[in-house]
Amino acid sequence: MGEWKWTAGEFHGDSADKGIQTSEDARFYGLSAKLDAPFTNKDKELVIQMSVKHEQDLDCGGAYIK
């Protein structure tokens, strides 16, 4: 697994607006977090949102939620 870094990235509006970034090319990355409380969306829609900015010059790559 690759290593994450905390940065605003090369192109940003505010250097204080940081997020996670992959630090090595041609590596697989994974990220997860445990929920503190039991979760249910019974009878409700579940909306998942993410924003991705690819700065590396990659031949292939992608970002997805699994």
Side-chain angles (χ1 to χ4, degrees), residues 1 4-6 8-9 11 14 16 18 30 32-33 35 41 43 46-47 50-51 54 56-57 64-66:
M1 297 294 285
W4 297 98
K5 63 182 180 178
W6 179 249
F11 308 105
D14 184 351
K18 295 183 178 182
S32 64
L35 297 173
N41 67 318
D43 300 325
L46 175 63
V47 178
M50 72 177 203
S51 177
H54 295 283
Q56 296 95 335
D57 187 21
Y64 57 91
I65 295 174
K66 182 175 180 180

Side-chain angles (χ1 to χ4, degrees), residues 12-65:
H12 58 277
D14 184 351
S15 62
D17 189 13
K18 295 183 178 182
I20 55 173
Q21 182 183 50
T22 57
S23 63
E24 305 167 83
D25 290 345
R27 296 296 302 257
F28 289 102
Y29 289 83
L31 188 66
S32 64
K34 184 177 178 180
L35 297 173
D36 292 333
F39 172 81
T40 181
N41 67 318
K42 185 177 180 180
D43 300 325
K44 298 178 185 175
E45 289 187 10
L46 175 63
V47 178
I48 299 173
Q49 179 179 334
M50 72 177 203
S51 177
V52 177
K53 177 174 61 170
H54 295 283
E55 292 183 343
Q56 296 95 335
D57 187 21
L58 302 174
D59 292 331
C60 64
Y64 57 91
I65 295 174

